[in-house]
Amino acid sequence: MIDRRGPLAMRWAVSLAVVAALTVGSGCSLIPSDDSGQAPASSASTSATPSPTQSRSPDTSGSDSAGPGDPAQCRPDDCPKLPTPTAELMTSGVNPANVDTAVPEYLTTLLDDLDQTWGGWFDELGWGDPAPGRVLIESGTSFTTECIVGDEDSSPVPIPSDEANAFFCGVDTEPNGQGTPTEGSVVLPVETFAAIWDGNVFGVPSPIVGDFTAAIVVAHEYGHNIVFRMAEAFDIPDSRLPAGKNSELIADCLAANWGATAYQRDALGAKEVLQVASLLPIIGDTGGASGHGSARERAVALTVGLTGPQFNRQGQPVDCIERYWPEFFEVE
């Protein structure tokens, strides 16, 4: 059978050239950052946010040192590839007539797919279930997250369904895809995602949008969840979590690991690559913002996750961990 998708490395290399062109003159950032490099989970000026990937680890002192709590189970030379689910990746079918129902359904199927994909990897390693809690802020509603508090009374701030952000909060406990209350949740404002198909990407006009624009954002937030679950499983202290920009770049890289499984299922072609390329100038640090990485740095992180650092392999979480979280492999 002829592979009509074309060589993945070649298409992704072309996308990097597109990124360079699109970055010129761009002055926008998806998630503004303060000078400390800590990324607020809300664009509200009164917000103050704890790090969304900080772990609140359970007591594992009674576990067998050779059991799932042993980081040596995944060493740089034997960490498995992210498995590709057998199910096809659903398309959204979003149009003006069905946006109210199609967008929440698509976001749900993305989370289901991410649960299955990363769940297979965690299961292979014996690390448990990585599925996070889920919050889809439906149109006209709001969600009060423990990750964002006001300056005056330190009370949690409600997040509306059109909040220009999506995030992972490690201290919100919400039902996962199976309905089980789970600490650590992905929060997605539905109206904000619905606007993507109209060319409004988190408040910024974008000429090239589609399903994969939304998908890579969801996969990025899920990447934060993966770091959280790994830190939780191995009782890794905050001092050994990804530092600075690496805390965001590893989420990009892990998102691209999942993107490699989309390619394996014929769901990542030239159109989708261009959607990601158009997204990068929007989410890259510009205009004095810091903490997330420039468009080029984020393009590199996505490339490492998708094709490997040498364009010679696909979907290898170990590539992301080695580059952006080498502390994970440190054994105390």
Side-chain angles (χ1 to χ4, degrees):
M1 178 181 294
I2 298 174
D3 186 351
R4 302 185 184 278
R5 297 169 296 178
L8 177 59
M10 181 181 297
R11 282 192 284 107
W12 197 252
V14 170
S15 80
L16 296 182
V18 175
V19 169
L22 290 172
T23 302
V24 176
S26 173
C28 303
S29 175
L30 172 61
I31 308 176
S33 302
D34 59 24
D35 292 337
S36 68
Q38 183 179 32
S42 171
S43 59
S45 59
T46 58
S47 68
T49 311
S51 172
T53 54
Q54 287 183 348
S55 171
R56 296 177 59 181
S57 303
D59 181 6
T60 57
S61 58
S63 63
D64 187 333
S65 62
D70 182 2
Q73 285 199 352
C74 180
R75 299 184 299 272
D77 59 351
D78 71 355
C79 218
K81 177 181 177 181
L82 193 65
T84 299
T86 56
E88 293 184 6
L89 191 62
M90 175 186 164
T91 56
S92 73
V94 171
N95 61 56
N98 69 8
V99 64
D100 290 341
T101 57
V103 172
E105 181 180 357
Y106 182 59
L107 295 177
T108 298
T109 63
L110 286 173
L111 290 168
D112 287 345
D113 198 88
L114 286 156
D115 279 350
Q116 182 181 1
T117 304
W118 284 106
W121 192 67
F122 269 57
D123 185 63
E124 184 174 352
L125 289 161
W127 290 357
D129 183 5
R134 303 179 179 186
V135 179
L136 268 60
I137 310 176
E138 299 282 359
S139 179
T141 69
S142 63
F143 172 70
T144 302
T145 172
E146 295 295 327
C147 270
I148 302 175
V149 296
D151 289 338
E152 295 181 2
D153 57 8
S154 296
S155 298
V157 175
I159 303 301
S161 60
D162 62 352
E163 176 72 11
N165 204 347
F167 59 94
F168 172 81
C169 178
V171 294
D172 285 337
T173 298
E174 297 295 328
N176 64 16
Q178 301 301 315
T180 303
T182 305
E183 185 179 50
S185 300
V186 171
V187 182
L188 308 175
V190 171
E191 285 186 76
T192 299
F193 276 89
I196 286 175
W197 283 268
D198 287 330
N200 179 343
V201 181
F202 293 86
V204 180
S206 181
I208 304 173
V209 295
D211 287 6
F212 218 75
T213 310
I216 206 68
V217 173
V218 176
H220 170 93
E221 301 309 331
Y222 206 99
H224 284 303
N225 169 66
I226 293 303
V227 172
F228 177 86
R229 302 298 162 194
M230 292 170 67
E232 185 178 56
F234 298 103
D235 202 15
I236 295 174
D238 293 348
S239 61
R240 286 175 52 211
L241 291 177
K245 290 183 291 187
N246 283 353
S247 66
E248 294 295 330
L249 296 175
I250 192 171
D252 289 337
C253 193
L254 296 173
N257 285 162
W258 172 82
T261 75
Y263 172 78
Q264 293 296 331
R265 291 176 281 172
D266 294 328
L268 178 61
K271 178 179 67 175
E272 289 74 25
V273 168
L274 286 174
Q275 289 170 13
V276 177
S278 297
L279 176 65
L280 284 167
I282 298 173
I283 63 176
D285 289 336
T286 56
S290 62
H292 286 72
S294 68
R296 287 181 175 85
E297 287 173 317
R298 301 192 79 167
V300 169
L302 288 162
T303 301
V304 171
L306 189 67
T307 68
Q310 302 298 324
F311 289 85
N312 60 350
R313 58 194 209 162
Q314 300 169 17
Q316 302 281 352
V318 68
D319 291 335
C320 301
I321 300 168
E322 283 194 291
R323 188 178 184 107
Y324 299 109
W325 192 14
E327 299 89 348
F328 174 75
F329 295 115
E330 294 175 3
V331 178
E332 296 181 339

